[in-house]
Amino acid sequence: MLKARKVESLLKDPLVSETLKRSLLLSQEVLKFADQIPMKRGAAYRSYVSLEHDWVTQVLVAAYKDKLEIKPFNFPLVGSFPYKGYFDEDDAKNEEAKLSREYDVFRRKVPAFSSLGWFSDPLTSNLAADDYELVETLFHELVHLNFYFDEESDFNEAFATWFSYKAVEDFINHSNFISSKEAFLERLHENLAFDKEINLFVEEISHQGKLFYSQANATKNRATYFTWITACLDSFPSLKSFKKIQWNNAAVLSFSTYTRLMPDIEQYAQKNNLNYKQMLKLIMKKGPTVVREIVGEPSLPKVSRRCVPILQ
């Protein structure tokens, strides 16, 4: 944040490339569009910082080794979270090593974060390098500036993801700085389809995992479950990049946070004939009590059954 420069200043700087200036103008166009929704945005994304890598933080997810259950990270005042982030890679690796003595741990790189309005979050170079990621991520993070319910991380992230897709589709038709609106829309549909596949995959491996760990001595045979997950990926060809993952319970659980509740949110919006703007307004008006209203009580998921069950 101390290294960040004001966007207004960069736009006037003759040494700044025209490519970067166009990306910065696109980001400010997103903020103006957010004003019309309307969304609170404070002083966020009015400055820019160049990073040395393509991520802002590294996030750790920890889970118990004998069941599919997250180990929460608890903090005074702000509550508990299913993940913990680090700006320094060495710090993340050190904490990963400590947690791994007792828990399954999964570490991943994250392209953006929100301080939830506590600070004036800057734009970062990794986002400015990709117009689509810039626009979608800004809408996602702006949702967090408007609300972030304690103890409801899955809902917070799923709604921000759902909202960002809707807002991007609307924004495309109003932008003056998107070079190819057709390509932008195609990217949107590809990402949405990818998230749906992730959700189906995670539901299936989670369902099978709960059945697996219900057996006696399942913990001693965990490798069987993780080998099955890798084989299951053959039925999800669009997720071929997941083949590189070293699967453990934390990895399984880490992918559900952003997508698991999206179908519930979409169903609620359609049932009540609400667009994305009205959904945001409703949530901010009702507060955290609306979560149960939208997602309902936990129920058995409708599992896709693409893979041969791990237990016959």
Side-chain angles (χ1 to χ4, degrees):
M1 290 175 65
L2 293 175
K3 294 178 181 178
R5 291 182 60 188
K6 290 184 177 181
V7 169
E8 192 177 282
S9 173
L10 289 168
L11 291 173
K12 297 176 181 177
D13 190 338
L15 298 179
V16 174
S17 71
E18 291 303 314
T19 300
L20 177 56
K21 285 183 179 179
R22 190 186 60 79
S23 295
L24 294 175
L25 287 169
L26 177 60
S27 72
Q28 302 311 291
E29 190 178 46
V30 170
L31 298 182
K32 289 180 181 178
F33 187 85
D35 284 340
Q36 298 167 14
I37 287 177
M39 301 179 79
K40 296 184 295 184
R41 57 178 175 82
Y45 311 118
R46 294 295 191 183
S47 60
Y48 168 86
V49 64
S50 180
L51 303 177
E52 297 177 355
H53 29 64
D54 61 356
W55 51 270
V56 177
T57 65
Q58 294 202 12
V59 165
L60 297 179
V61 175
Y64 298 97
K65 293 188 176 185
D66 60 346
K67 55 186 174 181
L68 283 180
E69 184 178 320
I70 287 279
K71 175 215 174 300
F73 293 98
N74 300 305
F75 301 91
L77 302 180
V78 295
S80 66
F81 295 82
Y83 45 71
K84 187 176 182 181
Y86 291 86
F87 291 105
D88 186 280
E89 186 172 37
D90 289 337
D91 288 344
K93 287 181 176 179
N94 289 337
E95 183 69 7
E96 180 183 23
K98 291 178 184 177
L99 287 168
S100 295
R101 297 168 191 165
E102 187 176 354
Y103 303 97
D104 278 355
V105 184
F106 182 67
R107 176 170 55 89
R108 62 185 178 85
K109 298 173 181 178
V110 178
F113 84 105
S114 172
S115 67
L116 308 183
W118 286 90
F119 304 101
S120 300
D121 301 335
L123 295 162
T124 51
S125 53
N126 61 314
L127 295 179
D130 185 311
D131 285 355
Y132 181 84
E133 290 298 325
L134 173 64
V135 175
E136 185 188 309
T137 302
L138 282 180
F139 280 122
H140 182 108
E141 301 302 336
L142 284 170
V143 169
H144 293 329
L145 278 176
N146 283 259
F147 78 87
Y148 201 93
F149 299 144
D150 292 348
E151 317 298 333
E152 297 289 357
S153 293
D154 281 9
F155 179 81
N156 296 330
E157 297 296 355
F159 182 81
T161 303
W162 177 87
F163 180 96
S164 66
Y165 283 133
K166 303 290 185 180
V168 167
E169 189 169 23
D170 196 7
F171 173 77
I172 290 172
N173 298 318
H174 297 82
S175 176
N176 295 313
F177 297 102
I178 294 176
S179 55
S180 173
K181 295 187 178 183
E182 292 77 14
F184 216 82
L185 190 60
E186 183 179 354
R187 181 87 173 272
L188 167 66
H189 291 157
E190 287 175 354
N191 281 19
L192 184 57
F194 186 72
D195 276 357
K196 287 181 177 178
E197 282 291 275
I198 291 176
N199 192 47
L200 290 172
F201 172 67
V202 171
E203 279 190 346
E204 182 155 1
I205 65 174
S206 297
H207 176 71
Q208 291 295 323
K210 288 174 183 176
L211 293 176
F212 178 81
Y213 283 111
S214 67
Q215 302 175 101
N217 300 318
T219 308
K220 295 180 180 179
N221 301 305
R222 283 160 29 102
T224 302
Y225 174 48
F226 303 135
T227 300
W228 174 84
I229 290 176
T230 302
C232 183
L233 279 167
D234 290 335
S235 299
F236 294 84
S238 63
L239 304 182
K240 60 183 179 181
S241 60
F242 282 29
K243 287 274 190 178
K244 301 176 183 178
I245 294 173
Q246 296 294 316
W247 289 98
N248 60 26
N249 292 347
V252 171
L253 293 166
S254 69
F255 288 102
S256 67
T257 296
Y258 291 82
T259 63
R260 182 174 65 86
L261 298 179
M262 283 178 64
D264 298 273
I265 294 168
E266 175 66 20
Q267 183 179 22
Y268 183 90
Q270 290 186 10
K271 180 181 177 181
N272 293 279
N273 197 28
L274 298 172
N275 61 35
Y276 72 100
K277 298 178 183 179
Q278 293 166 328
M279 280 287 285
L280 177 63
K281 184 178 180 180
L282 175 73
I283 289 170
M284 293 179 65
K285 178 182 179 181
K286 290 194 172 184
T289 58
V290 79
V291 175
R292 294 282 72 80
E293 181 181 326
I294 293 175
V295 305
E297 294 301 321
S299 59
L300 293 175
K302 296 178 181 179
V303 185
S304 66
R305 298 279 191 261
R306 290 193 196 178
C307 305
V308 176
I310 189 171
L311 299 178
Q312 300 295 333

